Amino acid sequence: MFVGHYAASLAAKAIEPRAPLWTYVIAAQAIDIGWGALVMAGVEKVRIDPSLPGSALDLYHMPFTHSLPAVVLWSLAGLLLARAAKLPWGAAIAIALVVFSHWLTDLLVHRPDLELWFGGTKVGFGLWNYPVPEQAVEIGLLGLGAAAWAFVRGRQGRTLWPVLFFVTILLAVQIIAMVMPGGGDAAGLGGTALAVYLVVGLIAFALDRPSKLT
């Protein structure tokens, strides 16, 4: 799951526009931002196994980012940070829900590697094992989120090019990730993930700035 996570950020922007788009975009990947940093530090563990169907990631140890209790804590942290930044309660709650949505969408695609409690049972519906349906789910979710954001912008009399541009960028990154050869080490994977999330966040920041064109 990559672009599918951003569906929640676009839907949240449509429902609660008082938070900047970039905050929702970062919230959607906050769990994986933490994961990338902890993988680079050697705290959480991942193996790259090209023999696996679909995603080659074997995410065998990530309790501090992807266990259910950890995600609840990350979501609460998002809520508190949003309130500390003086965002309204509605926007802060929306940000927290976007953070939590990451675990729910991961549940759809991950193999059983998401702990229900620290050191406990691991769950995952395993759509990664079926690449075509998994990609359809991801792109379908992104399409729904983008449609919601576009609908709201249209009702406000604003142009739709930011929606189209952002979705195009996300799909381009998704395609590049699909065609790139597997392999590499865990630290490099974590660093690449952090770089991608930062760039996407910066694009969202630029697109959401007030402009005569939007």
Side-chain angles (χ1 to χ4, degrees), residues 3 5 8 17 22-23 28 34 37 44 48-49 58 64 78 96 103 110 114 117 129 143 175 177-178 193 205-206 211:
V3 299
H5 288 309
W22 70 266
T23 62
E44 295 198 334
I48 301 174
D49 183 355
D58 178 12
F64 305 111
W103 194 87
H110 278 223
L114 306 170
W117 58 88
N129 294 328
I175 292 169
M178 289 170 60
F205 173 79
S211 168

Side-chain angles (χ1 to χ4, degrees), residues 38-114:
L38 292 179
V39 165
M40 292 179 67
V43 176
E44 295 198 334
K45 308 292 184 180
V46 57
R47 287 185 288 255
I48 301 174
D49 183 355
S51 69
L52 292 172
S55 173
L57 298 181
D58 178 12
L59 302 163
Y60 64 95
H61 183 70
M62 47 180 188
F64 305 111
T65 57
H66 284 73
S67 68
L68 184 56
V71 173
V72 171
L73 293 175
W74 281 81
S75 301
L76 290 174
L79 174 69
L80 294 175
L81 285 173
R83 287 297 295 156
K86 308 299 184 184
L87 290 176
W89 270 107
I93 292 171
I95 286 171
L97 291 175
V98 171
V99 174
F100 189 77
S101 75
H102 186 104
W103 194 87
L104 296 176
T105 45
D106 271 355
L107 180 65
L108 294 175
V109 301
H110 278 223
R111 304 173 187 102
D113 53 32
L114 306 170

Side-chain angles (χ1 to χ4, degrees), residues 120-209:
T121 301
K122 294 183 178 181
V123 296
F125 296 156
L127 269 180
W128 266 349
N129 294 328
Y130 309 96
V132 173
E134 192 276 333
Q135 290 296 317
V137 168
E138 285 214 53
I139 294 173
L141 288 173
L142 180 63
L144 290 173
W149 187 29
F151 176 76
V152 170
R153 289 183 65 90
R155 290 191 62 181
Q156 295 171 342
R158 305 177 71 188
T159 62
L160 300 184
W161 75 262
V163 182
L164 298 174
F165 183 82
F166 192 59
V167 170
T168 300
I169 291 293
L170 291 177
L171 292 177
V173 173
Q174 182 87 342
I175 292 169
I176 291 169
M178 289 170 60
V179 301
M180 284 181 62
D185 59 18
L189 178 64
T192 300
L194 288 176
V196 170
Y197 301 144
L198 175 61
V199 169
V200 173
L202 289 173
I203 292 171
F205 173 79
L207 289 177
D208 206 32
R209 296 181 66 186

